Amino acid sequence: MLVHGQAIKELAPADYLMIENEHKLLEKYLDNLRDACACSNLDNLPDCQRCDREQQTSCQGRLPSFLFHIIDLAGKHFAHEEAIMLSRPHVTTDYEYFRIHQQAHADVMQKLYALSEECLLLRDQNNTAEIYSQFYEKLSSIFDEHDRNFDDPFIESTIAQST
């Protein structure tokens, strides 16, 4: 999410602060997710067999809260981002790029729900470390792709319109 950090600094101060704080929350979430299961970020393949039963149970138990928390964080962030977009003088709900960006947010949310369902179904297979690792990788990829395809171009377009 640092990809468009420089462009974000050109937004209005209040908008910048909101987006910056939400990106920090998302980055902290990803860091916490990456480190949530001690076995998920080993150099070799994730293997829960190295953990005792209590550690395995703890990792399994925490997984749903990670899954649901990202849906909440992303949903709020996208709502704020859309409100900021609509506050720009040339952007309306009829603006094609806004609609495409809004649809991209809906698509990301749909991916997050599907990914959460997938992880919950896999949870009973006793390979929690691998689930955490895959969830982290897929989630990072989803957000990075969204930033590259939508956030960077939108922020740059608002800067061009305001100068």
Side-chain angles (χ1 to χ4, degrees):
M1 276 173 265
L2 298 174
V3 176
H4 64 281
Q6 198 59 32
I8 287 175
K9 292 180 182 177
E10 300 297 324
L11 293 172
D15 294 342
Y16 167 76
L17 187 60
M18 180 185 295
I19 295 296
E20 184 69 16
N21 286 338
E22 288 176 352
H23 280 190
K24 285 179 183 176
L25 277 174
L26 289 168
E27 288 169 16
K28 182 170 176 51
Y29 171 88
L30 286 170
D31 289 345
N32 288 341
L33 176 64
R34 183 193 61 227
D35 299 335
C37 180
C39 297
S40 66
N41 56 8
L42 297 174
D43 290 335
N44 52 4
L45 293 176
D47 182 10
C48 289
Q49 301 309 314
R50 297 178 186 192
C51 297
D52 61 29
R53 183 146 178 77
E54 288 79 22
Q55 288 172 313
Q56 289 180 26
T57 302
S58 174
C59 288
Q60 284 177 335
R62 293 175 62 204
L63 185 60
S65 64
F66 273 103
L67 301 173
F68 296 121
H69 187 59
I70 192 57
I71 290 169
D72 183 55
L73 275 177
K76 288 177 181 175
H77 174 64
F78 291 156
H80 292 150
E81 192 174 272
E82 289 171 15
I84 289 169
M85 292 165 68
L86 289 171
S87 74
R88 304 301 294 187
H90 69 287
V91 178
T92 67
T93 55
D94 295 329
Y95 182 52
E96 181 181 6
Y97 192 81
F98 173 79
R99 288 187 322 223
I100 293 169
H101 198 147
Q102 187 179 43
Q103 183 58 52
H105 287 164
D107 293 345
V108 167
M109 292 304 294
Q110 187 175 27
K111 287 178 186 178
L112 293 179
Y113 281 111
L115 188 54
S116 294
E117 291 282 326
E118 177 185 333
C119 289
L120 287 173
L121 291 172
L122 292 173
R123 188 171 56 150
D124 295 333
Q125 296 179 5
N126 288 335
N127 200 353
T128 307
E130 188 172 331
I131 295 169
Y132 272 98
S133 180
Q134 288 179 9
F135 184 57
Y136 172 81
E137 292 299 323
K138 289 178 181 179
L139 194 57
S140 295
S141 176
I142 289 168
F143 286 133
D144 288 344
E145 180 182 358
H146 179 76
D147 283 351
R148 278 191 314 278
N149 293 335
F150 290 96
D151 289 346
D152 296 343
F154 177 76
I155 291 169
E156 290 169 11
S157 76
T158 61
I159 293 167
Q161 293 289 328
S162 65
T163 56

